[in-house]
Amino acid sequence: MCFLVELDASQRDIVFLLDGSDYTKNGFQTMCQFVGRVVEKLSVGQSADRVSVVQYSTHAQVHFLLNTHYSMQDILRSIESLQHQGGPLNTGAALDYVKKHVFTVSSGSRHLEGVPQILILITGGRSQDDVRPAAASLKQNNIVAFCVGTHNADVIQLQMISNTPSHTFTVPWFDELQNIEQNFMSYIKRVPHQPVRLEPTILDGGRRDIVFLIDGSDNTKGSFSSIQNFIQMLAERLSLGQNRDHISVVQYSDNVTVDFFLNTHSSREDIIDSVQRLRHKGGKYRNTGAALQYVVDEVFNVISGSRKFEGVPQILILLTAGRSRDDIRGTVKALKKMGVIPISVGTTNADTLELQTVSHEPNYFFITNFDNLFTIKEDILALIKGASVKPMATTVLPSIESVVSRDVAFLVDGSDDSRNGFEAIRGFIQKVVENLSIEENGDRVALVQYNRNATANFYLNSYSSKNEVLNSMRSVKHKGGRPLNSGAALQFIRDYIFTPSSGGRRLEGVPQILYMFCGGRSNDDIRGASQALRDGDVKIFTIGTRNADTLELQTMSSTPAFAFSIHDFNYVDSIYQNVVSVLSGAGEIQEQITTSEAQIVTAKADIVFLIDGSDDAQNHFEAIRGFVAHLVDNFDIGHDKDQIAVVQFSNTAVTSFNLNTYTSTAEVENAVQNLIQQGGRPQYIGSAIQFVKNNVLTPKNGSRGNEGVKQILVILASGRSRDSPIEPASILKNAGVTVFAIGSGLADQNEMEAISSQADFTFEVPNFHNLQSIQQSLLKKFAEVKLKEEIVHAVAVQPKELKRDIAFLVDGSDNAREGFQTLCDFLYNFIANLIIGINDDRIAVIQYSNVAVANFYLNSFSKKEDVLNAVKGLTHRGGRPLNTANALWYVKNNIFVTSSGSRRSQGVPQILIVMTAGQSRDNITEAANNLKSHGVSIIGIGIKNSNFDEVKKISSKDKHFFVKDFTYLPEIQRQLVTVLTINLLEETTEEQTSGLATDTPSQFCVDSQK
């Protein structure tokens, strides 16, 4: 005979898992009342029975954990406040959730002490997912499961989940739960104690030094216990001991407090006890930068227990609830330089870019609040384990040439800015995809559209064949909307596309390539996200239209050479060969002379558009107008620059505006867009050409042909001329005018060829709606014509000594805060006196403090007004300390290179002007000498607290200035100009003669303090 004995030792860990799905909508309150009555029969207390309640439907939601409430009253009050969740039923997922996140020591479980672990599942329906794996796992972990189900529940599922079939209870309706109460409780009390057991350690018993840096500011006071539980949870899973894992905990707010060092405790028990005894630090501000610096200086050192010199991995886990009040960048760099592996965790108010900056890619986590820390436990443990298996140094991925497979993502502007060009983008991508080898182990492709937010059309692992990708591409619809948040879109690519879960294979060494299409300027900050992608070895190419910001495109791309500018997306095919060459590994891309820059390559010109305004062109006049406006946008228009005139013709010719009517690109473009068709018939092209010669290409109406300025005529005709245009065209050409002829529809191509200056200056289109297809070719021809003109007049037009690449490296640290505006005014006035152009002086500006950042590159702007506007818009960067050597290395590697616009290989003088207001924290000697040996002439300007010897050492021979304050900068402007012109010209001549760039003493020194 067998007797069931009620043990009732009043020490159980009981978790109620309640069905909150649509099945239980009407019976949920009755279910909660049943739970309340069961709890009332328990002996609740910290050292007695502990209770947790979790509700689930699609996903599980913890209402309170085993260590949340230790009084009967608090538990019953929480149960009474439960609200029904709703949704479909996934019991398998819920079982797995409670096993991983509720039956744990950090959540209050006492399974290590042998306390019975009891799960009570109450459900009103059949689960949509598989319950078998989770049920088996519960049994393996000695969790005793009881199931209570209504008539809609699946009894077989319930018996599968229950510890034994006898632990399954069924009732027709929840109203009848009271009928099983007594029997149910007797079974609960029969669950015996388990033997005391040790938590199995999933990690490898390796040796790691792990420092937790916790945000202890006032903002984290309410969630501090969750942080404690999280650290305890990790500590329970680590292999802690004298020669194993070591842990330190540091709190920070406006200052730093060490709770214990790496060598304070050597046993698991002592560490967990210390974590449980932690007291919240408090503090108004959050100085993460200073805290990180403290950890570098005081915690990751031998005295504090660090074993870095023994090769033990150094791991930092940062938990922060908000943005830092100070600069973190310099300290993070130092942290990573010493080999520390940072893992950052932030809540809703944390700065995502700060988390990315701190973390060792891609080790950062973003959670709603610290109460959800347990959801990332396994991920953190995996990263910790990985640190002991292999070093976390930056992996140098193989070049594209050496691999077969690539992960290629297209990030497409889906805003209203790209609506008219979307089909062209689609066609371009399809063309690229055709050149890929798409398969599981070959190339993979993803497509994302963005406007205010980003949406994935498909991921890297969505399709494994070229046909699937192309079919999906054909069905993609334009997203629409505004504004354009490029920074957020790049962040989306980093977080959700180039990840293992989405098919990204970076960890396998597969190259990650991103092509980004931008039809306008971003509404948010793009710098942090693009830098994070670059740090993750993603090769970024940007393709922008005239409305996009050139500097933004260069900033987002891997190098400025990977930024392409086109007039609009309908001309995206013009860069197709460059894209294909990158994918096929056909070598490095040099500096891009984009369409908008091509017009400045050469001498100024007077350009007359003679357009068909006859009745024959009535249905196409808007297309003609748009085509001319697009062309105009590519010229640098002004009194001493390019000039544009427009003449319409039919049976007579009429001037719409003369060469000297407008003096800016915007004015001309606006005038073209507002043209009204003349009308009339037939077309007299010969008379129209004669009209242009006699009435437009004259000094009175703005022609500068007598001054040697190139004269260009562009004719657009939709039909055959009623008179002969050959003789008037010949007279014009003999007078030195270059003629282009574009024919459409019924135009006579032989006539067009006879009119034009040479055969390849003749273009034919089916109708004027196809004009866009010839725009790039026409612009290229313009550039060739103007280039020949400039070569003839090279000496007179562009003196060699006025062509320089000049970079300003300016102190943006806290030392320069008060005088920064004065410094910018000095830059503005100085640059205003230079001749800026693609074939003249080029300017770059870089700010630096603890790190250096380019405000713009040598090829970012090719017009003086754009450079001056950029200088006017400079804002002080801030930060400390001053790392001048680091900034000099940055300039050498990122500014004076071909892809950033440097013309060093062409013999153009490379000049760096360093303006510093303090002493460098790092040693400048090697960096300065390396720059000089690279052919860069350095002019040093010391301000205020700068070090005299340091500025002298940075500078080329005798090319240094000193002023006692920012307000004295204007006093050295004239001397600086002299050094830049006379002295550097002599020096460059000598260098080029010897074939090697060296520093020749100029014996020119100005010290405004003397």
Side-chain angles (χ1 to χ4, degrees):
M1 183 176 291
C2 178
F3 296 93
L4 294 175
V5 181
E6 291 191 9
L7 303 174
D8 201 6
S10 296
Q11 198 173 46
R12 292 165 288 248
D13 293 336
I14 302 175
V15 177
F16 289 91
L17 182 58
L18 308 183
D19 179 348
S21 73
D22 297 337
Y23 285 114
T24 62
K25 186 175 182 180
N26 297 326
F28 189 72
Q29 286 305 316
T30 307
M31 185 195 304
C32 292
Q33 291 166 7
F34 171 74
V35 173
R37 292 195 298 272
V38 171
V39 169
E40 286 174 342
K41 294 179 172 63
L42 300 174
S43 177
V44 174
Q46 185 170 358
S47 300
D49 292 329
R50 295 185 183 180
V51 175
S52 169
V53 171
V54 179
Q55 187 184 169
Y56 79 101
S57 55
T58 308
H59 58 271
Q61 179 185 356
V62 175
H63 288 289
F64 55 89
L65 294 168
L66 292 165
N67 55 3
T68 304
H69 302 306
Y70 293 130
S71 74
M72 177 86 69
Q73 187 178 6
D74 289 341
I75 292 173
L76 292 175
R77 189 181 296 116
S78 291
I79 293 171
E80 287 172 5
S81 67
L82 291 179
Q83 298 296 316
H84 186 255
Q85 185 173 318
L89 196 64
N90 290 324
T91 307
L95 294 171
D96 186 61
Y97 182 90
V98 294
K99 180 238 169 188
K100 290 180 177 177
H101 302 299
V102 184
F103 286 111
T104 61
V105 175
S106 58
S107 297
S109 168
R110 296 166 291 178
H111 64 277
L112 296 180
E113 304 167 30
V115 173
Q117 306 293 288
I118 299 171
L119 172 68
I120 300 174
L121 169 67
I122 307 176
T123 181
R126 179 187 174 90
S127 176
Q128 290 187 0
D129 61 355
D130 191 356
V131 302
R132 288 171 296 182
S137 182
L138 288 173
K139 294 181 176 77
Q140 288 169 5
N141 284 270
N142 295 320
I143 297 170
V144 179
F146 291 86
C147 294
V148 180
T150 64
H151 70 287
N152 287 325
D154 187 319
V155 176
I156 296 176
Q157 276 189 349
L158 298 182
Q159 290 179 340
M160 198 178 293
I161 296 167
S162 298
N163 199 54
T164 70
S166 63
H167 286 181
T168 302
F169 297 83
T170 58
V171 291
W173 310 99
F174 286 121
D175 292 341
E176 299 185 34
L177 282 170
Q178 60 188 6
N179 297 336
I180 63 166
E181 228 171 84
Q182 186 174 352
N183 192 28
F184 180 76
M185 282 304 303
S186 68
Y187 273 91
I188 296 294
K189 293 180 179 181
R190 293 172 196 159
V191 179
H193 269 67
Q194 299 294 325
V196 175
R197 54 196 171 98
L198 294 176
E199 172 86 356
T201 303
I202 64 160
L203 298 192
D204 51 12
R207 302 166 72 214
R208 291 158 287 237
D209 292 339
I210 305 166
V211 177
F212 291 90
L213 180 58
I214 305 169
D215 180 347
S217 67
D218 294 340
N219 290 339
T220 64
K221 187 175 183 180
S223 56
F224 191 70
S225 60
S226 297
I227 296 174
Q228 286 176 278
N229 289 337
F230 176 68
I231 297 174
Q232 182 178 332
M233 192 188 309
L234 293 181
E236 289 167 354
R237 300 286 296 277
L238 294 172
S239 179
L240 302 175
Q242 188 65 41
N243 293 311
R244 294 190 173 183
D245 293 328
H246 289 181
I247 287 181
S248 169
V249 174
V250 180
Q251 287 188 64
Y252 78 98
S253 52
D254 38 14
N255 52 41
V256 180
T257 300
V258 177
D259 289 293
F260 54 89
F261 288 101
L262 291 164
N263 55 2
T264 304
H265 304 300
S266 58
S267 73
R268 184 194 307 273
E269 292 74 19
D270 290 343
I271 289 172
I272 291 176
D273 183 61
S274 291
V275 170
Q276 290 174 340
R277 293 173 183 274
L278 290 176
R279 292 291 176 266
H280 185 255
K281 172 179 169 54
K284 186 175 181 181
Y285 301 112
R286 185 184 296 100
N287 292 326
T288 311
L292 290 168
Q293 189 64 53
Y294 183 92
V295 168
V296 168
D297 296 338
E298 306 295 337
V299 183
F300 283 118
N301 63 39
V302 177
I303 296 173
S304 300
S306 169
R307 297 167 291 175
K308 58 186 176 183
F309 295 121
E310 301 172 34
V312 174
Q314 310 288 286
I315 301 171
L316 172 71
I317 300 175
L318 170 69
L319 294 98
T320 181
R323 187 173 187 172
S324 177
R325 193 165 180 245
D326 60 355
D327 191 0
I328 65 166
R329 291 163 297 185
T331 311
V332 167
K333 190 170 183 180
L335 197 71
K336 294 178 182 177
K337 191 173 181 180
M338 66 183 289
V340 176
I341 302 162
I343 301 169
S344 55
V345 181
T347 62
T348 302
N349 293 324
D351 188 312
T352 307
L353 297 181
E354 276 188 4
L355 297 180
Q356 293 173 347
T357 302
V358 171
S359 68
H360 179 99
E361 302 299 334
N363 306 343
Y364 82 98
F365 299 87
F366 195 75
I367 54 179
T368 309
N369 54 60
F370 285 131
D371 293 336
N372 292 323
L373 276 168
F374 61 86
T375 63
I376 61 170
K377 176 189 67 175
E378 298 299 330
D379 295 313
I380 298 288
L381 285 168
L383 291 172
I384 293 172
K385 181 179 180 180
S388 63
V389 173
K390 57 183 178 182
M392 299 284 281
T394 303
T395 304
V396 179
L397 295 178
S399 65
I400 275 182
E401 297 94 320
S402 64
V403 293
V404 176
S405 54
R406 292 151 294 202
D407 291 341
V408 183
F410 295 94
L411 178 58
V412 177
D413 178 348
S415 73
D416 294 343
D417 292 332
S418 68
R419 188 177 300 279
N420 294 332
F422 190 72
E423 286 307 314
I425 296 172
R426 186 205 307 271
F428 178 84
I429 296 174
Q430 287 174 334
K431 209 171 181 182
V432 174
V433 169
E434 289 285 2
N435 281 278
L436 300 176
S437 177
I438 298 175
E439 54 188 51
E440 188 67 31
N441 295 317
D443 296 326
R444 295 182 183 177
V445 174
L447 175 66
V448 177
Q449 281 191 71
Y450 74 102
N451 47 29
R452 181 189 299 275
N453 48 47
T455 303
N457 292 101
F458 52 87
Y459 295 91
L460 291 167
N461 55 2
S462 295
Y463 304 116
S464 56
S465 76
K466 186 180 296 184
N467 285 338
E468 288 177 316
V469 172
L470 290 174
N471 287 336
S472 183
M473 275 298 310
R474 293 184 192 105
S475 65
V476 168
K477 294 182 180 178
H478 184 255
K479 184 176 170 69
R482 59 178 71 239
L484 201 63
N485 289 332
S486 301
L490 289 168
Q491 187 65 41
F492 181 91
I493 290 287
R494 182 183 184 279
D495 293 344
Y496 299 105
I497 302 300
F498 288 124
T499 58
S501 60
S502 297
R505 297 167 292 175
R506 174 177 174 269
L507 299 178
E508 301 170 31
V510 175
Q512 314 283 283
I513 301 171
L514 173 65
Y515 288 98
M516 182 177 189
F517 298 80
C518 308
R521 186 169 188 170
S522 178
N523 196 52
D524 61 355
D525 192 348
I526 48 89
R527 292 168 295 181
S530 53
Q531 185 60 50
L533 280 169
R534 285 192 294 271
D535 291 345
D537 294 318
V538 177
K539 188 174 286 187
I540 310 170
F541 297 84
T542 53
I543 301 164
T545 65
R546 59 176 177 161
N547 294 323
D549 186 302
T550 305
L551 183 57
E552 270 189 6
L553 295 178
Q554 293 179 331
T555 302
M556 292 186 289
S557 60
S558 293
T559 77
F562 289 176
F564 299 86
S565 291
I566 52 179
H567 186 72
D568 61 44
F569 287 126
N570 292 310
Y571 302 99
V572 71
D573 272 352
S574 64
I575 61 165
Y576 174 73
Q577 289 304 323
N578 290 28
V579 172
V580 172
S581 68
V582 171
L583 284 172
S584 59
E588 181 185 353
I589 294 179
Q590 295 299 308
E591 176 194 6
Q592 303 299 317
I593 303 297
T594 60
T595 299
S596 59
E597 293 168 340
Q599 37 82 23
I600 309 175
V601 166
T602 55
K604 54 196 173 187
D606 294 335
I607 304 167
V608 179
F609 290 94
L610 180 59
I611 63 175
D612 190 337
S614 72
D615 293 343
D616 290 343
Q618 184 172 355
N619 296 329
H620 306 289
F621 191 75
E622 187 175 342
I624 295 172
R625 195 167 53 193
F627 174 70
V628 175
H630 285 169
L631 290 174
V632 165
D633 194 50
N634 287 281
F635 294 104
D636 188 15
I637 296 173
H639 179 67
D640 292 319
K641 301 174 184 178
D642 293 324
Q643 295 185 159
I644 305 289
V646 172
V647 178
Q648 287 189 58
F649 75 93
S650 54
N651 51 349
T652 59
V654 176
T655 302
S656 297
F657 55 87
N658 279 310
L659 292 164
N660 56 3
T661 303
Y662 301 115
T663 57
S664 74
T665 303
E667 287 178 314
V668 173
E669 191 173 352
N670 184 58
V672 171
Q673 294 285 14
N674 288 300
L675 287 175
I676 298 173
Q677 186 182 6
Q678 173 187 337
R681 63 175 51 163
Q683 295 109 315
Y684 286 90
I685 299 175
S687 297
I689 293 173
Q690 191 65 42
F691 178 88
V692 168
K693 178 182 179 297
N694 297 336
N695 298 283
V696 182
L697 292 175
T698 63
K700 175 185 175 183
N701 290 314
S703 171
R704 297 163 295 176
N706 294 338
E707 303 169 26
V709 175
K710 190 62 189 172
Q711 310 288 285
I712 298 174
L713 173 65
V714 182
I715 301 173
L716 292 94
S718 65
R720 185 168 185 168
S721 178
R722 182 62 66 92
D723 61 353
S724 175
I726 296 175
E727 186 178 351
S730 296
I731 293 172
L732 206 61
K733 288 183 281 187
N734 290 336
V737 178
T738 299
V739 183
F740 293 87
I742 303 170
S744 166
L746 299 175
D748 186 328
Q749 278 308 112
N750 292 328
E751 195 172 72
M752 294 293 101
E753 288 179 14
I755 292 171
S756 61
S757 294
Q758 55 193 59
D760 60 346
F761 285 5
T762 306
F763 299 88
E764 181 181 9
V765 290
N767 61 64
F768 284 132
H769 289 295
N770 299 105
L771 282 169
Q772 61 186 24
S773 65
I774 65 165
Q775 179 172 317
Q776 292 300 314
S777 300
L778 184 59
L779 284 169
K780 186 182 286 187
K781 295 297 180 185
F782 283 162
E784 290 172 2
V785 169
K786 294 171 73 182
L787 181 59
K788 288 176 183 175
E789 192 73 13
E790 184 171 274
I791 291 172
V792 172
H793 301 285
V795 176
V797 175
Q798 183 62 65
K800 184 179 178 183
E801 62 269 22
L802 291 180
K803 184 192 292 187
R804 299 156 296 195
D805 292 338
I806 306 170
F808 291 89
L809 178 62
V810 301
D811 186 339
S813 71
D814 295 344
N815 296 328
R817 189 180 300 278
E818 291 181 5
F820 190 74
Q821 189 54 54
T822 306
L823 186 151
C824 291
D825 292 342
F826 171 76
L827 287 182
Y828 186 94
N829 293 329
F830 184 83
I831 293 170
N833 290 298
L834 301 177
I835 301 173
I836 309 293
I838 204 78
N839 245 13
D840 298 303
D841 290 333
R842 296 184 183 182
I843 305 295
V845 172
I846 307 96
Q847 272 191 75
Y848 79 102
S849 52
N850 49 353
V851 294
V853 176
N855 290 101
F856 54 88
Y857 298 90
L858 292 165
N859 58 359
S860 293
F861 305 115
S862 50
K863 300 178 186 177
K864 183 187 290 187
E865 60 183 317
D866 292 336
V867 174
L868 292 176
N869 285 335
V871 171
K872 199 183 294 182
L874 288 176
T875 56
H876 183 252
R877 185 167 180 79
R880 60 178 56 182
L882 200 63
N883 291 328
T884 309
N886 179 62
L888 293 172
W889 284 114
Y890 177 90
V891 167
K892 176 183 179 291
N893 296 327
N894 296 279
I895 304 300
F896 289 121
V897 292
T898 305
S899 61
S900 296
S902 169
R903 297 165 290 178
R904 175 174 170 263
S905 61
Q906 303 170 29
V908 175
Q910 308 290 285
I911 301 166
L912 175 65
I913 300 174
V914 181
M915 306 178 73
T916 179
Q919 185 166 352
S920 178
R921 177 85 170 263
D922 51 3
N923 193 316
I924 53 88
T925 306
E926 184 183 355
N929 289 341
N930 196 285
L931 257 178
K932 293 171 196 172
S933 66
H934 194 63
V936 179
S937 294
I938 306 177
I939 300 171
I941 302 176
I943 308 164
K944 205 172 181 180
N945 298 320
S946 59
N947 182 284
F948 180 90
D949 292 331
E950 187 175 86
V951 174
K952 202 170 177 182
K953 198 177 290 183
I954 291 171
S955 307
S956 296
K957 180 73 171 175
D958 293 333
K959 293 183 178 67
H960 53 269
F961 301 84
F962 288 91
V963 293
K964 68 179 181 181
D965 205 341
F966 289 97
T967 54
Y968 287 86
L969 282 170
E971 296 184 7
I972 65 168
Q973 184 168 325
R974 183 172 296 180
Q975 294 95 319
L976 184 58
V977 171
T978 303
V979 172
L980 277 175
T981 52
I982 301 172
N983 292 279
L984 284 177
L985 180 62
E986 292 172 357
E987 178 181 312
T988 305
T989 303
E990 291 178 15
E991 290 167 357
Q992 291 174 341
T993 303
S994 64
L996 179 67
T998 57
D999 289 309
T1000 305
S1002 63
Q1003 302 301 323
F1004 193 96
C1005 177
V1006 176
D1007 188 341
S1008 67
Q1009 289 181 330
K1010 294 180 181 179

